[in-house]
Each structure stands twice: as C-alpha cells, then as structure tokens.
C-alpha cells in the first residue's frame, strides 16, 4: 500500500474535485463544428477517466489505520469575515463514495460517446457532457467538503445540471418532472441552510471537523432538535424519504439513461451521507430524539416502495420498468435510513454499506433498462411481457437477460451479492438499538423491514419472469394484425435515449399475406403466418463488446463487495465509531 503525506495527496484531491469543472469550461469555449460532438464525447471520457484514476490513487495512498480522521486535507480561509473555509478531506466514509462517483461518471461519459443523445431543440451531446462534468464536480466536492457552507454550496451545485439533463434530454413529461425535482430539492435546501446557520452561529464555527469533535457541546438540546429537524428535512428530500419522495419516480421515468444512473447511483447518496457526516456527530441529542420517528418513516418507505412496485409489475397495470426501479429505490433507501436511525455502529455501517451497494446495483439496473429500450423500443412492462412482442430476453438476447436477472437478484438481497450485507446489518442494528431508544419500537420496525425484503423479492422475481422468461416464442398464435408495423407481433426499432418509440418499418408483402407464409423482413420484423400457427420472434441484438465493457465492472463490483464485505466495512467502521461517540452520552 502506498503511504503518502497530505502534502502530496491534498493537491491530488483538489485536482480530482476541480478537473471536471475546468474541462466543462474548456468545452464551453471550444468553437462549434461538425467534429465538436465527437470531440466533446472524447474529452468527457478522458476527463472522467483521469478523475477515476485520481480517486483510485487516493484509495491506494489512504492510511487505513487512520480511517477515522480526514486525510488529503486542504484547509485555507475562503470567506474570513464569516469564518467560511475551503476545507476538503477524505476519510473512511467519504472515500468509497468518491470512487463510486468517479466510476459512474466515467461509465456515463462512455455511454454518451457510444450513443450520443439528441436533446430538445436539437441540443447536442456537448451540452450534456458539460452538465455531467459540472455535476461530477459538485458531487465530489460534497463528499469531500469539511465546512458546512462549502458542503451546502457543493450540494446545490448538482441541482441545475440535473434539471437541464432531465428537461433537455429526457423523455415524455420531462419538463414537469424536471420542475418537480427542482422545487422539491430547492425548498428542502432552503430549510437545510437555516439549520446550518443555526448550528454555525450557535457553535461559533462552520468547520465540520471541529463540530464533530465537540459532539454537540455548546449547543442546547432545543437547538439540536431544531437543527436536526431543519437539516434533516433538506437531506430527506434528496434521499428521498417517504413521504418526500414523490419527485423521484417522475424524474427517473423522464430522465435519459445517464441521468437516471447518476440520480440513483450518486445524488440520492448526498442525503444519507449528510445525515451520517453532519447530523449524527453535530447534534447527537437531536438525532436521538428523532431516531424512532426516522425509523418509522424508513420502514413505511420500505413497505410503500415494495407495494408500489408490486402494483406496477402486475399484468395490465401499464407499469414502466424505469419507474419500478425508481420506486424500488424508495424501499432500498429506507433500509439505509433504518440503519442510521438505530444509532449503533452495526446499523450505521450497514447503512453506509447499503448506500454503496444501492449505487452500484441500481446504476446497473438503469443501464440495463436503457439497453432493453434500445432493442425493443419500450420499457413498458406490459409490452415487454405480452405474447406477441415480448422481450423474453433469455431466448432472444441471453447475455442481456442473464445480466438483468443477476442484477435483480442482487437488488433483492441474495446472500453473496452486494445487496445482502447492508440490509442485514441495518436490521441487526434495529434488533438492538442504541441505549435510550425503545427496543419494542425498533423490533416492530425490524419485522416490517423483514416483510419488505419478502415483498422486494416478489416484485423483482416477477420482473425477471415477465421480461426475461415470458411466454415461449413458439406459443403465441399469429394473427393478421401481427403483420402491421408497430403491432405487438413486430419488433420495434430501437428507441432514442429520450424514450421516443419509432415505428417498426417492416411489413408483410402482399404475396406473403396471400399465401399466409411466415416470414421476416431484413430488419427482423415478424410477419403474418397462417391462423393457428406460431410466429417465432427474431433474436434481439445481444450485448455488444462495448456494452459489456460498460456493464461488467458494475457486475464485478456487485459480486466483489458481496463476497468480501470487509473491503468496505474496515474503511467505514473506525469513522463511524468516532462519529457516534456523542450519541447517548
């Protein structure tokens, strides 16, 4: 393991945070031209790749024996009149999130380069790359910030880029979804800022390290309760916690693939990270007061998210695969909130583990949903599962189907995969919560969370059955309607990333219709067959080499941290122990 001093790693961390922003500025001033689209994509991949290398070097140089203290620290005066400092650092809690953010941003940049999306009004991919780079800087700065005001500014930096990603490159109802995202997040942020100001003015500092070491000293119990309420509302909106979640399904459904990946894989983590990094150590009495309520909201979200997914996956419900994944995030983030609410090292470590696992697994699910839409023209579950035009990925695109099934069982928490450990540790923490918390209340929450795991397995296995297995291709009798372009017997042309569904182009020839012969066009569109005979659907394009290179790193991570949970837990546990020192005193 490398051992480097802060004099070396601090500039590296600063470079990792600022490089995407500098690259975004360069892209803005580059002259437009026929080659600008491809150039922007290549610059995006190069910069996000360099950032990933930088975070991996930070991880290699990280002193795991001192994972509870900030490393690679930069601390300079920024706004001296208000005591605001440009204070950056990384510890065992923030390091995994930095690496995850860098990895997902690289994969999104590769996705944009491979399949440049067309935005509203002819908006090209260069603008999308610029927004992704700004979003990366804001997210990395949030995870590295050690000053409350710097944290808030970085937290807000991701708001505008994600708004434009959804509103310009999204699908149907993108404008309404983008505005809903902005309004919810902005209102929550205003309340959160009031909480930060209350803490900073009462304690006399905005330095998160100093505040954490004080463990609430200098803040009255009333002040801590008010601060947790204000800060918690802002962070709960971003998480999102039930009932402040309603912006999420609309945003995910409307967002392009890269928007959904970053929204689920990175942005949702900002809220739960803030609860652990700021609320637990700064206001221990306040969070102790609210812990039972947080647990109740958490398990309500688990049950609600699971029931919503069961309703969406039901045949004839008109559910959308991306919307289902969004609602599943409400449930999975409920386990993260439950772990935090226990105020125990076991539960909080489980919450941080589940944070990373959800980011990896759900990002992979959204990439796979995008791949399914490219091939079938839709993410509508009924259309994917219907007899004449169902996806049936096992038979038509076996590698894609196998990877989707693997990711689904990882999401439901199969032992040996990443989704298992975080949920297990969160529930173990609920079985024996922190001193002073009502054990019967948390045991009831544990039972409801256990029910949520069963419901999660039910809807995800239904998704696998309907999308990957489905009715065998030979089982559906053909009708004359199967020959129509865009009919359920025809394989649609690939959809754009904005979610539009072009009509299929193939039709049955007059001779084929007259004789009733079952044929297929060069584009793979099935045509009419004699009544009572079956139409065999053509194979869908399976995963290409570049798609596999995009998806397999996330699948490998899902397996790696599922089989070797200590890889994360040894990083987070020392920092968690330190942050919880003031709880229950």
């Amino acid at each position: 393991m490398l051992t480097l001093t802060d004099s070396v790693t601090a500039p590296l961390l600063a470079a990792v945070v600022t490089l995407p922003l500098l690259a975004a500025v360069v892209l803005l001033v580059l002259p437009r031209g026929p080659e600008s689209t491809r150039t922007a994509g290549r610059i995006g991949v190069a910069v996000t790749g360099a950032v990933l290398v930088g975070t991996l070097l930070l991880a290699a140089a990280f002193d795991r024996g001192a994972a509870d203290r900030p490393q690679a620290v930069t601390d300079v005066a920024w706004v001296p009149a208000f005591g605001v400092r440009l204070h950056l650092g990384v510890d065992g809690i923030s390091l995994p999130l930095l690496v995850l953010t860098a990895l997902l941003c690289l994969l999104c940049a590769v996705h944009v380069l491979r399949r440049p999306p067309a935005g509203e009004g002819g908006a090209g991919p260069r603008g999308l790359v610029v927004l992704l780079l700004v979003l990366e800087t804001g997210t990395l700065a949030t995870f590295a910030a050690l000053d409350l005001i710097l944290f808030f500014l970085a937290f807000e930096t991701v708001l505008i880029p994600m708004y434009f990603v959804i509103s310009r490159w999204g699908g149907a109802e993108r404008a309404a979804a983008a505005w809903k995202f902005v309004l919810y997040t902005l209102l929550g942020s205003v309340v959160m800022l009031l909480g930060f100001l209350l803490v900073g003015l009462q304690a006399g500092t905005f330095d998160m390290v100093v505040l954490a070491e004080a463990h609430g000293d200098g803040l009255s119990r009333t002040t801590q309760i008010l601060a947790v309420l204000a800060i918690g509302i802002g962070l709960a909106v971003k998480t999102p916690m039930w009932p402040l979640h309603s912006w999420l399904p609309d945003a995910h459904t409307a967002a392009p693939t890269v928007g959904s990946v970053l929204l689920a894989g990175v942005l949702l983590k900002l809220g739960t990270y803030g609860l652990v990094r700021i609320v637990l150590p700064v206001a221990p009495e306040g969070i102790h007061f609210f812990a039972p309520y947080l647990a109740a909201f958490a398990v309500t979200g688990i049950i609600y998210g699971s029931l919503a997914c069961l309703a969406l996956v039901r045949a004839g419900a008109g559910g959308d695969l991306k919307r289902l994944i969004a609602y599943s995030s409400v449930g999975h983030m409920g386990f993260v909130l439950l772990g935090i609410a226990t105020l125990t090292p076991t539960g909080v470590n489980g919450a941080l583990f589940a944070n990373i696992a959800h980011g990896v697994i759900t990002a992979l699910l959204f990439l796979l949903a995008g791949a399914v839409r490219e091939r079938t023209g839709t993410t509508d579950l009924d259309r994917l599962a219907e007899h004449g035009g169902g996806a049936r990925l096992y038979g038509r695109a076996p590698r894609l189907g196998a990877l989707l099934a693997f990711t689904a069982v990882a999401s439901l928490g199969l032992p040996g995969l990443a989704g298992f450990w975080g949920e297990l540790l969160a529930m173990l923490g609920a079985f024996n919560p922190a001193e002073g918390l009502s054990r019967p209340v948390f045991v009831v929450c544990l039972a409801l969370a256990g029910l949520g795991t069963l419901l999660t397995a039910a809807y995800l296995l239904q998704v696998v059955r309907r999308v990957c297995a489905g009715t065998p291709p030979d089982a559906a009798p053909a009708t004359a309607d199967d020959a129509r372009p865009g009919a359920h017997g025809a394989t649609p042309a690939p959809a754009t990333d904005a979610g539009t569904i072009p009509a299929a182009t193939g039709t049955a020839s007059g001779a084929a219709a007259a004789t009733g012969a079952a044929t297929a066009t060069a584009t793979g569109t099935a045509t009419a067959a004699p009544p009572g005979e079956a139409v065999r659907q053509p194979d869908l394009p399976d995963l290409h080499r570049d798609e596999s290179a995009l998806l397999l790193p996330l699948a490998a991570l899902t397996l790696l941290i599922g089989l070797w949970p200590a890889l994360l837990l040894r990083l987070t546990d020392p920092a968690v122990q330190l942050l919880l020192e003031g709880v229950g005193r």
Side-chain angles (χ1 to χ4, degrees):
M1 181 186 70
L2 296 176
T3 302
L4 302 178
T5 64
D6 280 358
S7 62
V8 176
T9 55
L12 179 59
L13 177 59
V16 162
V17 171
T18 57
L19 180 60
L21 182 61
L22 295 175
V25 173
V26 170
L27 282 176
L28 285 175
V29 300
L30 282 180
R32 298 181 180 273
E35 295 298 320
S36 63
T37 294
R38 196 72 177 171
T39 300
R42 289 170 178 166
I43 290 176
V45 172
V47 171
T48 54
V51 170
L52 177 60
V53 171
T55 59
L56 293 176
L57 288 175
L58 284 172
F62 189 78
D63 183 0
R64 287 161 176 76
D68 57 340
R69 68 172 180 85
Q71 301 177 36
V73 174
T74 297
D75 187 8
V76 296
W78 189 25
V79 188
F82 298 99
V84 179
R85 305 186 66 81
L86 194 62
H87 194 180
L88 301 173
V90 59
D91 67 356
I93 292 175
S94 55
L95 179 62
L97 290 166
L98 288 174
V99 176
L100 175 64
T101 299
L103 173 61
L104 294 184
C105 287
L106 172 60
L107 297 181
C108 287
V110 172
H111 189 278
V112 172
L113 178 64
R114 184 184 70 87
R115 189 179 176 84
E120 182 185 13
R126 181 164 80 163
L128 180 57
V129 172
V130 169
L131 293 172
L132 293 180
L133 291 173
V134 174
L135 194 149
E136 182 176 26
T137 284
T139 307
L140 292 171
T142 303
F143 292 138
L146 295 176
D147 182 276
L148 287 179
I149 302 302
L150 180 61
F151 177 93
F152 175 79
L153 294 175
F155 190 90
E156 292 305 296
T157 300
V158 305
L159 177 62
I160 300 303
M162 184 53 69
Y163 166 79
F164 283 109
V165 168
I166 297 172
S167 64
R168 298 298 297 275
W169 286 271
E173 306 296 331
R174 57 182 178 266
W179 273 112
K180 197 171 185 179
F181 164 75
V182 166
L183 290 176
Y184 268 77
T185 306
L186 188 60
L187 291 175
S189 297
V190 169
V191 180
M192 182 175 69
L193 178 59
L194 294 176
F196 285 166
L197 293 175
L198 175 63
V199 169
L201 295 176
Q202 288 289 320
T205 181
F206 291 103
D207 191 302
M208 291 161 59
V209 176
V210 174
L211 289 168
E213 291 174 348
H215 294 297
D217 290 344
L219 299 175
S220 68
R221 186 172 188 270
T222 301
T223 299
Q224 291 190 34
I225 290 174
L226 291 175
V228 170
L229 180 62
I231 298 171
I233 288 174
L235 297 174
V237 170
K238 189 78 84 174
T239 297
M241 181 185 74
W242 181 92
L244 303 174
H245 69 283
S246 61
W247 61 269
L248 183 69
D250 293 340
H252 270 311
T253 305
T257 297
V258 293
S260 294
V261 168
L262 292 180
L263 188 57
V266 177
L267 266 64
L268 300 190
K269 312 302 172 280
L270 300 179
T272 49
Y273 172 78
L275 287 173
V276 174
R277 170 64 69 201
I278 300 172
V279 174
L280 289 185
V282 172
E285 287 188 77
I287 189 61
H288 195 278
F289 174 81
F290 281 109
Y293 303 101
L294 179 60
F297 283 122
V299 295
T300 303
I302 293 171
I303 299 299
Y304 172 83
S306 299
L307 292 176
C309 290
L310 282 172
L312 288 171
V313 79
R314 181 173 52 85
D320 183 270
L321 180 58
K322 292 184 67 178
R323 195 172 189 85
L324 182 143
I325 299 171
Y327 272 110
S328 77
S329 292
V330 176
H332 288 304
M333 297 308 289
F335 282 99
V336 177
L337 293 172
L338 177 61
I340 295 172
T342 68
L343 305 182
T344 62
T346 299
V348 176
N349 276 302
L352 294 171
F353 193 101
N355 235 7
I356 299 296
H358 177 267
V360 172
I361 295 170
T362 308
L364 183 54
L365 278 173
F366 276 116
L367 286 171
L368 290 168
V372 169
R373 183 172 59 186
E374 288 177 11
R375 288 158 172 79
T376 65
T378 185
T379 51
D380 183 278
L381 287 168
D382 286 335
R383 292 185 59 187
L384 290 173
E386 66 187 358
H387 287 195
R392 291 186 297 275
L393 297 179
Y394 287 156
R396 302 174 66 191
R399 290 192 294 274
L400 176 58
L403 188 55
L404 179 58
F406 168 83
T407 311
V409 297
S411 183
L412 64 83
L414 185 72
L417 299 177
F420 173 72
W421 295 105
E423 295 180 3
L424 175 66
L425 292 173
M427 290 191 288
L428 286 176
F431 183 73
N432 191 20
E435 184 178 351
L437 296 179
S438 172
R439 190 165 185 266
V441 168
F442 276 84
V443 169
V444 171
C445 291
L446 166 63
L448 292 174
L451 174 62
T453 62
L454 298 178
L455 297 176
T456 300
Y459 72 73
L460 285 171
L461 292 176
Q462 280 275 64
V463 169
V464 172
R465 183 185 68 83
R466 298 191 70 200
V467 177
C468 296
T471 305
D474 292 326
T479 67
D481 290 339
D482 291 335
R484 296 198 319 268
H488 65 270
T491 302
T496 67
D497 201 38
T500 56
I501 305 174
T505 56
T507 58
S509 66
T515 60
T519 60
T521 67
T523 60
T525 304
T527 53
E533 293 189 15
V535 174
R536 175 175 291 278
Q537 295 295 317
D539 288 344
L540 295 172
D542 213 339
L543 291 178
H544 309 303
R545 183 177 301 176
D546 58 341
E547 286 181 303
S548 298
L550 193 69
L551 300 171
L552 290 182
L554 295 178
L557 267 179
T558 300
L559 188 60
L560 175 63
I561 61 178
L563 294 175
W564 191 14
L567 183 68
L568 290 178
L569 294 176
R570 286 176 182 169
L571 281 175
T572 61
D573 185 60
V576 167
Q577 297 282 354
L578 181 63
L579 293 178
L580 289 175
E581 279 186 2
V583 176
R585 289 194 307 178

